[in-house]
Amino acid sequence: SLSAKGDPLKLLARRLRPKPPAIARSRIDQDFAVLLMRSSYTAAEEMRFVPMDEFQRAFFLNRQDEWQPYLAAVEGLVPKQGDLQDPSYFDFISFAQYSTLAEEMRNGRLAYRELVGAEGEQVVRERPADVPRDNAALPAEHRRRVGDVIFSWASERYDIAPARAPDEIAARARELLEVFRIRGFVASTAVQLAQNRDGSATLTCAVGAPATLWSQRVLEGTALRNDFEAMAVNALVRQAGATLLSQRTSFSPLDVRHAITFSAPGREAPAAR
C-alpha cells in the first residue's frame, strides 16, 4: 500500500521531502500537459502489468492520501485541484501517478483479470511478448515508451530533423527542449555537448523551473521518475542510432540538470571500466 497512515517510515519519508517551490511558474499548455499524463497511462496500459481498474483505484487512493500533506507544504501558491495547466497541481498529480505506477510495477503480474465496462464484465490480460518479464525492468521500458511518444509528438509538430552525429544530436536536443519551453513546461533550457576520452559523448541538458521540479526531487533515486524532458532527449538519442550509456540528474533550487552519456552512432559502446 502507498498510504503512509500507520507506517512510521513512510510518515518520516514524507516529512523529509523537499518543500514544493514557492515560485510562480508559467501555466502549461493544456494539450502538452494532457500528452504527458496520457502517454504515461497508455504506456502502462499497453505493458499490461496491472489491471487498469485496480490502477485507477490505487491512483485515486494515493491522490487522496497525499493531497492534504502537499497542500500543507505549499507556501503561498495554492494549487487549483484538477487544473493540469497549473504547474503546482501538475507537479502533484504527476508525482501521484508515477509513485502509483512504481508501486504497481514492483508487484507486476504476468496475467490477470481486468474489469471492463459498467456491467462487471472481466477479460483476461497477459503481458505482451515485447514487454520484459522481470518486474525490475518495467520502469526502463515505461520510460522508453513515454519518451518515444513525446519525441514523436514534438518532431511532427515542430519539424525536428533526424540527427546522426553527436553535434547534430545536441542541436536537435536544443530544439526539442525549446518545445518544452514554448509549451510552458520549463522556464529556460540549455544544452552542452562534451566528447569523452573513451569515444562516448555527454549531453548536459539543463531546464529552469520545470513543472515537475518538486516531484522529480521527491522521486529522485527511485526506478521510475517523471523527468519528461530527459525521457524525450533519450528518445532522440535512440532515434539517432546511438546507444544510451547512463543518465545522471542533479538539482539546484530552481533547476534540473540531466547528464546523458551515449556512444556515438555507428560506434560500439565503450567497455565497462
Side-chain angles (χ1 to χ4, degrees):
S1 170
L2 285 164
S3 176
K5 294 177 181 176
D7 188 327
L9 290 178
K10 288 184 178 180
L11 288 170
L12 176 61
R14 181 183 283 170
R15 285 197 292 270
L16 293 176
R17 287 175 185 168
K19 285 187 174 293
I23 57 168
R25 288 174 283 180
S26 299
R27 285 181 64 78
I28 312 166
D29 174 76
Q30 176 74 15
D31 290 344
F32 196 64
V34 170
L35 169 74
L36 302 182
M37 292 293 296
R38 184 171 292 163
S39 62
S40 301
Y41 177 90
T42 300
E45 185 176 37
E46 292 173 346
M47 290 167 65
R48 294 186 178 175
F49 55 85
V50 60
M52 296 315 288
D53 58 303
E54 291 188 17
F55 168 77
Q56 292 282 29
R57 183 165 58 251
F59 184 27
F60 170 79
L61 292 174
N62 191 26
R63 296 198 310 269
Q64 193 175 50
D65 186 55
E66 291 282 0
W67 179 241
Q68 288 302 324
Y70 180 75
L71 282 182
V74 172
E75 295 178 349
L77 300 171
V78 179
K80 182 179 178 182
Q81 193 167 17
D83 182 4
L84 288 179
Q85 292 186 273
D86 179 352
S88 292
Y89 180 73
F90 188 93
D91 219 350
F92 167 79
I93 199 64
S94 182
F95 161 74
Q97 184 185 45
Y98 270 70
S99 56
T100 305
L101 284 170
E103 179 73 11
E104 298 299 342
M105 287 178 184
R106 281 189 286 272
N107 302 300
R109 293 172 242 177
L110 297 176
Y112 51 83
R113 291 184 178 274
E114 181 175 276
L115 186 66
V116 294
E119 303 300 322
E121 179 187 354
Q122 291 188 335
V123 295
V124 175
R125 308 281 196 200
E126 294 184 1
R127 194 175 298 184
D130 63 344
V131 177
R133 314 297 279 178
D134 182 0
N135 286 342
L138 293 178
E141 176 66 14
H142 185 271
R143 287 173 55 79
R144 183 188 69 79
R145 289 173 180 245
V146 174
D148 284 349
V149 170
I150 300 169
F151 175 65
S152 176
W153 182 94
S155 296
E156 291 174 4
R157 283 159 180 77
Y158 292 89
D159 196 24
I160 298 175
R164 287 294 176 263
D167 58 339
E168 292 178 351
I169 293 174
R172 302 301 174 265
R174 293 185 184 97
E175 295 175 19
L176 180 58
L177 293 181
E178 180 65 7
V179 173
F180 280 77
R181 191 195 65 78
I182 291 170
R183 295 285 175 160
F185 193 82
V186 301
S188 62
T189 69
V191 175
Q192 291 183 323
L193 177 69
Q195 299 285 351
N196 303 318
R197 289 183 178 180
D198 61 6
S200 66
T202 297
L203 201 61
T204 301
C205 304
V207 292
T212 50
L213 179 60
W214 172 80
S215 49
Q216 283 198 51
R217 294 188 68 184
V218 175
L219 295 169
E220 182 186 11
T222 66
L224 188 67
R225 304 180 305 281
N226 63 341
D227 50 356
F228 296 107
E229 65 281 356
M231 290 187 230
V233 172
N234 285 339
L236 163 66
V237 171
R238 288 192 302 270
Q239 291 285 335
T243 301
L244 286 163
L245 300 176
S246 67
Q247 176 186 319
R248 298 187 310 277
T249 298
S250 58
F251 300 88
S252 64
L254 296 180
D255 299 333
V256 181
R257 186 178 300 269
H258 307 288
I260 298 168
T261 300
F262 58 92
S263 64
R267 294 180 62 118
E268 291 186 3
R273 288 172 290 186

